[in-house]
Amino acid sequence: PHLAHMVGRNIAQGATFQRFRQARRGVIVERSAVDRAQRLYAFAHLADLPLLVDVAVSAASIRAPRWPRAQMVIALTLGLSAATLSLTLLLQRENVRRAAAEASSRAATAELATLALTDSLTGLPNRRRYDEFLAKEMRRSLRTRTPISLLLIDADRFKLYNDQFGHQHGDAVLRAVAACLTQLVDPLDALACRIGGEEFAVVLPGAGTAEARSVAERIRREMVLRQIPHADEVGGVVTLSVGGATRVPDAEPTPAMWPRNL
């Protein structure tokens, strides 16, 4: 800037001039020794002359036309960042919801699969589970050449019981039979199930005749010990009939073949 009092003043010791002396020409940013304003200096030494020419432009004047554009760029950058963050959060929330829905779906599918193989009245495995388990264990028995035993259990004179005491009491009897089987049959070694009406079955993989007979007798006795009243003409208490068979399959078996192959 033109300042009258600066005319003739020696600024050779100023930091700006000292940097001018370090190169023949160049561009530097330095604070003025005159008014301490920051400026952009372009300078050059004139060849063969003890003279130096420099042009100084205020840094503020350089930034001034760029600042609105810079503000726009900053605003756009912030807007894009905010949009990206929002989309990321929405995506994360959607992923969490999807994962929860998939977990719920898997749980529901597993529950439906369990219900499809469970008798609703007694809580025992149903006929479908019985068929699957028996076929699998018969194939295992065929491979390993080990015995497999089957017990078929029937509540004695159950129709008479329903006629005399009613179907609600009949359902209670079926649940009592299921309780006996649950109490006496280890689910890790065998399968007890309701296969229809008052009929139950116990599959005993690896069990021989003596073991099957022992399990059958324990089940029969346990039911008698419960002393559930029945008609006088059948002994006065609910009893069970148990039939059993043991064999080692000699051909690829199916549950439908079982009665003929015993």
Side-chain angles (χ1 to χ4, degrees):
H2 176 69
L3 299 174
H5 70 278
M6 294 299 298
V7 177
R9 180 179 172 181
N10 186 347
I11 59 172
Q13 301 305 315
T16 304
F17 190 77
Q18 293 299 321
R19 294 189 63 183
F20 289 165
R21 297 179 62 183
Q22 294 174 4
R24 296 295 300 172
R25 62 179 59 243
V27 177
I28 64 173
V29 176
E30 188 63 75
R31 290 195 175 276
S32 170
V34 176
D35 57 3
R36 303 305 300 164
Q38 190 178 49
R39 290 184 172 84
L40 175 69
Y41 294 89
F43 68 92
H45 292 266
L46 300 183
D48 301 327
L49 294 174
L51 295 176
L52 169 71
V53 175
D54 78 271
V55 177
V57 181
S58 170
S61 67
I62 296 174
R63 288 193 294 264
R66 298 176 180 269
W67 179 238
R69 181 177 297 179
Q71 288 179 312
M72 182 176 66
V73 172
I74 292 172
L76 288 175
T77 302
L78 291 176
L80 290 174
S81 298
T84 302
L85 179 60
S86 299
L87 290 175
T88 301
L89 293 175
L90 288 174
L91 179 60
Q92 182 179 9
R93 186 178 67 177
E94 184 63 26
N95 288 337
V96 171
R97 292 175 59 184
R98 179 176 297 181
E102 290 177 353
S104 177
S105 177
R106 287 194 297 269
T109 300
E111 184 177 358
L112 287 175
T114 300
L115 291 175
L117 298 175
T118 303
D119 177 62
S120 60
L121 176 64
T122 63
L124 291 177
N126 61 13
R127 179 61 182 263
R128 178 183 296 179
R129 176 62 178 141
Y130 161 79
D131 289 340
E132 293 176 354
F133 186 83
L134 181 57
K136 181 186 72 173
E137 293 303 327
M138 290 181 73
R139 286 192 292 270
R140 189 201 304 272
S141 181
L142 177 64
R143 290 195 308 269
T144 59
R145 307 306 300 165
T146 54
I148 180 172
S149 295
L150 173 66
L151 302 179
L152 295 180
I153 304 163
D154 189 84
D156 295 329
R157 304 295 299 277
F158 190 68
K159 184 179 184 305
L160 175 62
Y161 187 92
N162 277 335
D163 292 342
Q164 183 162 341
F165 295 94
H167 287 277
Q168 288 186 340
H169 286 82
D171 289 345
V173 169
L174 297 178
R175 285 192 288 267
V177 176
C180 291
L181 298 180
T182 301
Q183 176 181 338
L184 298 174
V185 177
D186 187 348
L188 298 178
D189 299 325
L191 179 73
C193 47
R194 182 188 179 195
I195 58 176
E198 71 275 18
E199 298 174 350
F200 297 80
V202 177
V203 183
L204 299 164
T209 303
E211 183 178 351
R213 182 180 293 114
S214 175
V215 173
E217 181 61 17
R218 290 201 301 271
I219 293 171
R220 189 192 67 79
R221 287 179 177 275
E222 177 62 28
M223 194 64 191
V224 172
L225 290 175
R226 292 177 182 262
Q227 292 292 295
I228 300 175
H230 202 331
D232 292 337
E233 58 265 34
V234 294
V237 295
V238 174
T239 58
L240 301 176
S241 294
V242 185
T246 301
R247 67 167 282 117
V248 177
D250 53 9
E252 185 67 23
T254 65
M257 294 167 52
W258 177 272
R260 299 196 300 273
N261 291 341
L262 292 177

